[in-house]
């Protein structure tokens, strides 16, 4: 359903969404905007073959936050099987790139669909609240709650929860994860996504 039409056009639908912890989502967005794919590799440092500037959703190689640190995908591939010391140097480079991207977000120099606050994406142009918001970390439990809501309102059955089609590879989690971020960066990210924490109860 096109969100611009809003609730008024579809009064009998249940509007729902599942959201993620903003800090976890920011780390995931960091991985996503560095992925070697069209409209993904913001820094153009993982491209093979090279793409046109119009296919790059970001500042590009050597520009903006891309001038700092290392691409997490390249580090994850290069450090697999290496010793702890080499891995730490590489992880420090990834952390530097993450902090540079966070600064760019704070300054309004970089933004895309993966870094936008989730609360903004849930707003409907024609008003109306969302009927149900679940936590993606507990998708299966939330899906059962949603099923109960559907049964109570519409007396209808609800299909099983959809499968999780994507999990962050262990190699990427090894070079950067939300639990290993310095507290100063965590506080900055929390301020950046305070709307999500306040409005979505996260």
């Amino acid at each position: 359903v096109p969100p611009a039409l809003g609730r008024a056009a579809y009064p009998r639908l249940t509007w729902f969404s599942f959201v993620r912890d903003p800090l976890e989502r920011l780390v995931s967005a960091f991985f996503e905007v560095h992925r070697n794919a069209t409209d993904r590799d913001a820094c153009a440092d993982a491209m093979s073959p090279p793409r046109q500037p119009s296919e790059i959703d970001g500042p590009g190689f050597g520009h903006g936050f891309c001038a700092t640190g290392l691409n997490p995908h390249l580090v994850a591939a290069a450090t697999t099987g290496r010793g702890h010391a080499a891995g730490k140097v590489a992880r420090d480079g990834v952390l530097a790139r993450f902090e540079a991207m966070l600064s760019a977000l704070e300054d309004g120099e970089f933004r895309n669909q993966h870094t936008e606050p989730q609360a903004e994406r849930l707003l409907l142009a024609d008003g109306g609240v969302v009927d149900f918001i679940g936590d993606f970390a507990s998708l299966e439990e939330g899906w059962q709650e949603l099923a109960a809501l559907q049964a109570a309102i519409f007396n209808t059955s609800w299909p099983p929860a959809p499968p999780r089609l994507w999990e962050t590879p262990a190699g990427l989690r090894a070079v950067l994860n939300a639990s290993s971020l310095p507290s100063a960066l965590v506080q900055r990210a929390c301020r950046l996504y305070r709307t999500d924490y306040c409005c979505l109860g996260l």
Side-chain angles (χ1 to χ4, degrees):
V1 176
L5 295 177
R7 177 183 293 274
Y10 298 92
R12 293 283 294 170
L13 293 184
T14 298
W15 296 83
F16 72 91
S17 181
F18 282 80
V19 296
R20 300 176 65 183
D21 174 82
L23 187 60
E24 294 280 356
R25 181 171 176 265
L26 179 60
V27 172
S28 178
F30 175 68
F31 294 149
E32 188 65 20
V33 302
H34 284 88
R35 191 158 61 87
N36 182 13
T38 300
D39 297 328
R40 286 294 189 275
D41 192 358
C43 296
D45 52 8
M47 289 189 160
S48 179
R51 297 186 177 85
Q52 299 299 317
S54 61
E55 298 178 307
I56 303 171
D57 189 9
F61 184 75
H63 299 286
F65 71 84
C66 299
T68 301
L70 299 172
N71 182 312
H73 293 272
L74 298 182
V75 169
T79 59
T80 301
R82 293 190 176 184
H84 178 75
K88 183 182 186 309
V89 171
R91 288 195 300 272
D92 288 346
V94 172
L95 182 61
R97 173 72 64 87
F98 177 83
E99 182 173 6
M101 190 189 83
L102 177 58
S103 296
L105 291 169
E106 292 170 326
D107 297 338
E109 297 174 353
F110 176 69
R111 176 170 174 162
N112 73 9
Q113 61 180 336
H114 301 288
T115 63
E116 293 174 356
Q118 297 167 97
E120 292 182 10
R121 300 178 67 84
L122 291 178
L123 295 177
L124 304 177
D126 291 332
V129 298
V130 177
D131 298 299
F132 179 89
I133 297 177
D135 186 346
F136 189 74
S138 54
L139 172 65
E140 290 73 19
E141 292 84 352
W143 197 260
Q144 292 177 5
E145 293 182 38
L146 185 56
L149 176 66
Q150 292 296 97
I153 297 177
F154 299 110
N155 191 30
T156 185
S157 59
W158 193 241
R164 298 173 184 247
L165 298 179
W166 171 256
E167 295 286 348
T168 301
L172 283 176
R173 293 197 303 270
V175 298
L176 185 74
N177 60 77
S179 63
S180 67
L181 292 176
S183 59
L185 290 186
V186 172
Q187 292 174 5
R188 288 169 58 187
C190 289
R191 285 195 297 269
L192 182 65
Y193 292 101
R194 57 187 176 275
T195 302
D196 283 353
Y197 282 111
C198 293
C199 296
L200 303 179
L202 296 168

